[in-house]
Amino acid sequence: MIEVKDVYKKFDRHEVLKGVSLKVETGDVIVILGVSGSGKTTLLRCINFLDKADSGTLTIAGETVDLKHASKKEILTVRKKTAFVFQNHNLFNNKTALENVMEGLVIVRKVPKAEAEKRAKEALDKVGLAEKYDSYPSQLSGGQQQRVGIARAIVLNPEIIMFDEPTSALDPELVGETLKIMKKIADEGVTMIVVTHEMAFASEVANKVIFMDEGVIVEEGPPEEIFSNPKEERTRRFLKRILPESI
Ligand SMILES: Nc1ncnc2c1ncn2[C@@H]1O[C@H](COP(=O)(O)OP(=O)(O)OP(=O)(O)O)[C@@H](O)[C@H]1O
Ligand SMILES: [Mg+2]
């Protein structure tokens, strides 16, 4: 359903992505793991045209676009099918939760305001913020702000939602609520790619785990295989560091 092929990306002379390819089926929840600097964020940014790849293609809903040479129109078409949740939610501080969630529908999708409001409320209800429609980001906890960010993604009904370390900026006591919402969305069949260090989420929710190192995919497979029987030495070393008790 979504295919990323041979993505290369350099910053100056630093090769950050060295030919990354991956396939995502409808309903997949894919967790990407890897040490800091391995290229996880850059990969998601290239797929979303936030960084321009040096080469590579993206196929989504049957259409293939060149990640380097995509036209503005092609980029817009892809953006209509994807949503991105950042580490720092990037909410508008001068807009309420409801207005933040409506924004993409009204401005980008041209959905009439009344319908946008209805859908935005449903999305906020889904992430447990039915009481907070009229709150501004400064009146919400970090976890609640992040859930508004998630509502903003799901309201668009995208083919895929990509999350880049959605819980890493949160206080530990707020991580659980965000992961719970993400699990709920996954259970509804939403296709997701999640960069995270939350291994419990990876093993319980993901159907596929990808381990990246130095700009390449070293190993991929179902979580139970990757975690209990990693084939590559690099994967083993990484897991040993973050799961010292189980390997
Ligand atoms: N805009 C940029 N200009 C120059 N170098 C960059 C830029 N963005 C990323 N890099 C470099 O690319 C490499 C990969 O960065 P990236 O953010 O993709 O890593 P990551 O796997 O997401 O790491 P983390 O787990 O710390 O988020 C790093 O060495 C980083 O310094
Ligand atoms: Mg990153």
Side-chain angles (χ1 to χ4, degrees):
M1 170 218 157
I2 294 171
E3 187 167 12
V4 176
K5 243 187 183 164
D6 291 330
V7 183
Y8 285 80
K9 173 69 181 170
K10 267 192 227 172
F11 289 108
D12 300 319
R13 261 169 300 158
H14 180 191
E15 275 189 271
V16 173
L17 298 177
K18 305 171 191 166
V20 175
S21 301
L22 63 104
K23 272 190 189 155
V24 187
E25 305 293 338
T26 303
D28 271 354
V29 177
I30 297 183
V31 162
I32 302 182
L33 302 173
V35 295
S36 180
S38 53
K40 306 177 300 290
T41 295
T42 306
L43 175 64
L44 293 191
R45 288 179 58 85
C46 286
I47 300 174
N48 286 279
F49 302 99
L50 299 169
D51 281 327
K52 189 182 271 188
D54 299 326
S55 61
T57 60
L58 168 69
T59 304
I60 184 162
E63 280 179 57
T64 300
V65 291
D66 185 307
L67 291 173
K68 183 175 169 64
H69 299 291
S71 66
K72 278 205 175 119
K73 192 165 161 237
E74 284 175 319
I75 292 174
L76 219 63
T77 310
V78 170
R79 290 224 170 113
K80 282 188 180 158
K81 296 173 186 154
T82 60
F84 199 162
V85 177
F86 300 89
Q87 179 177 10
N88 295 310
H89 50 73
N90 293 50
L91 301 179
F92 298 105
N93 286 322
N94 58 343
K95 289 182 191 292
T96 62
L98 185 62
E99 289 165 347
N100 265 288
V101 179
M102 285 171 65
E103 174 87 9
L105 285 179
V106 175
I107 307 290
V108 184
R109 300 279 169 92
K110 314 284 182 214
V111 173
K113 227 168 167 183
E115 190 197 328
E117 184 172 325
K118 183 170 161 265
R119 283 172 56 184
K121 284 180 174 168
E122 284 166 7
L124 283 166
D125 296 351
K126 198 173 272 179
V127 299
L129 293 176
E131 313 292 312
K132 303 286 184 188
Y133 295 161
D134 298 321
S135 300
Y136 287 89
S138 62
Q139 298 168 320
L140 298 170
S141 74
Q144 289 169 336
Q145 291 177 29
Q146 191 56 299
R147 283 190 273 151
V148 175
I150 295 172
R152 207 163 51 161
I154 57 176
V155 80
L156 299 170
N157 233 340
E159 303 264 342
I160 183 163
I161 304 182
M162 291 173 237
F163 297 80
D164 191 7
E165 301 204 33
T167 58
S168 61
L170 299 176
D171 290 338
E173 70 271 22
L174 299 175
V175 169
E177 60 178 62
T178 305
L179 292 174
K180 214 165 103 193
I181 297 293
M182 289 171 61
K183 179 171 187 326
K184 187 168 138 194
I185 299 168
D187 287 344
E188 287 176 8
V190 174
T191 308
M192 317 195 324
I193 298 181
V194 186
V195 173
T196 184
H197 296 290
E198 296 293 334
M199 302 307 269
F201 178 85
S203 64
E204 282 163 32
V205 185
N207 63 319
K208 186 158 136 190
V209 171
I210 287 176
F211 173 64
M212 270 182 80
D213 195 26
E214 295 182 3
V216 296
I217 292 178
V218 173
E219 186 162 357
E220 58 183 277
E224 55 280 12
E225 243 170 60
I226 299 283
F227 293 153
S228 58
N229 191 19
K231 293 190 178 53
E232 302 294 330
E233 178 56 30
R234 277 196 274 181
T235 319
R236 240 174 276 148
R237 245 184 290 138
F238 172 79
L239 291 173
K240 212 168 186 163
R241 267 199 0 228
I242 49 176
L243 295 173
E245 71 289 353
S246 64
I247 308 262

